[in-house]
Amino acid sequence: MKIRKLLFSTLCMLALGTAFTACSDNDDPNNDFHDEGSKVTLPHHRAFILNEGTMGANNANISLYAPNKDCDFINDLFFQQNNARLGDTGQSMIEYNDYLYVIVANSKYIARLNTAGVELDRHAFNESEGDPRYMAAEDGYIYLTQYGGKVSKLDAETLDVVATFEGGSNLEGIAECNGKLYVANSYSKTDAGYQYHNEVFVINPQTMQLEKTLTVTVNPNQLVEENDKVFLISFGDYGAVGYTAQMIDPSNNDAVTVLTTATSMTAGNGNVYFVNSETDYSHWPGTSTTNTFFSYNIATSTLNQTSFLKDAPAELATSSIYSMDVDDEDGNIYIGVTFYSNSNGTIYRFQQDGTFVEKFDCGGQNPKKMVFVD
């Protein structure tokens, strides 16, 4: 969205007879928000937090944080706006064409929300279909991966399925780059156990046909596009092959380059931000983790092993990292930490130069994704 040049007055108070928080006035006719039906007035720079919840507990939610501090934190904004729970296992969320799209995996649906978190449309998947996982958007369509080997192409306004690609097994991450879809074919499960695959499919989004298959490190999962490159993290086989970060270069015949060892990533500011988390699960639910933060400069093709964080709270070095996201307006970096089903997670906020800003409760269990709207 375009950055606004007008200054708006702010109003933060509790509305009488209600349980919601009022924030900065959003009545300017020139703004790009779609806030119809909202029960709350929201700030002009918004961070929506998708909290995954605990599988089977039906406690996924979407909370709201105001980066400019012109609104109080709103716990479970989705419930306040829709008088309904989000569902079981919040999986993925994106912003596209001034709307939010959220996948709730175990509840088996994708929903379109307006910029106030009001649900407008929903597409539910049949029980016989694989769980929805991740999505990318381009040219008026949402491309959604599913377990069972399917990519569904949905009309972004109606959520009607208009075409599908079928191939592979359990499909995970997806990214759009230079008019192609890159899809991780992760693993399959048989009576003999797990089989980990080493494929990224390159799909033509217009025809939904496979154009080529790339060979990558086994168990590809996370995919992100930045500066016309596709970055991938494979989870390995949890044995001899470990977590591996790779780069796919569409301008060089989709050449795959191994970059480093990393367990999670996000991209922004011309960089890919990595963390490598070494976690001991042998005493579950107790865990012991050591985190190493580093980055990759895309323009210079340089891996910087120095942490991109400054003055980070000491506990972040040993916390269980669940998400990392970059605000494309100001370049701030947000790192989500989980305490699993024991309590709500925590978000750590850093400026673009890595300077620590603050930490705050994310409003739910297992912070999965942050989406920024302004």
Side-chain angles (χ1 to χ4, degrees), residues 3 45 224-228 231 265-274 294-302 304 308-309 324-335 349-355 372:
I3 299 175
H45 185 35
V224 64
E225 185 276 337
E226 181 76 0
N227 289 15
D228 297 325
F231 295 87
M265 65 179 170
T266 190
N269 308 318
N271 295 290
V272 183
Y273 299 102
F274 291 109
F294 49 96
S295 59
Y296 179 80
N297 186 296
I298 301 171
T300 63
S301 303
T302 303
N304 186 351
F308 54 86
L309 305 179
M324 296 198 301
D325 295 284
V326 176
D327 184 343
D328 59 2
E329 179 180 297
D330 57 21
N332 279 201
I333 304 163
Y334 292 78
I335 299 175
R349 178 182 178 181
F350 297 85
Q351 293 178 7
Q352 182 175 340
D353 67 0
T355 302
F372 302 90

Side-chain angles (χ1 to χ4, degrees), residues 58 86-89 104-109 122 124-125 127 131-132:
N58 197 43
L86 184 64
D88 187 358
T89 318
V104 188
N106 215 33
S107 293
K108 298 178 75 70
Y109 76 87
R122 177 181 296 205
F125 296 90
E127 284 300 319
D131 289 354

Side-chain angles (χ1 to χ4, degrees), residues 1 22 37 42 54 78 89 102 156 189 232 281 295 300 329 358 368:
M1 296 183 183
L42 299 174
T54 297
F78 183 86
T89 318
V102 58
K189 186 178 180 181
L232 163 70
Y281 293 99
S295 59
T300 63
E329 179 180 297
E358 66 171 336
K368 183 74 171 182

Side-chain angles (χ1 to χ4, degrees), residues 64-81:
L64 181 123
Y65 166 78
N68 294 341
K69 302 302 182 182
D70 49 353
C71 177
D72 292 339
F73 191 95
I74 302 179
N75 286 291
D76 205 346
L77 174 71
F78 183 86
F79 180 78
Q80 293 194 32
Q81 297 287 47

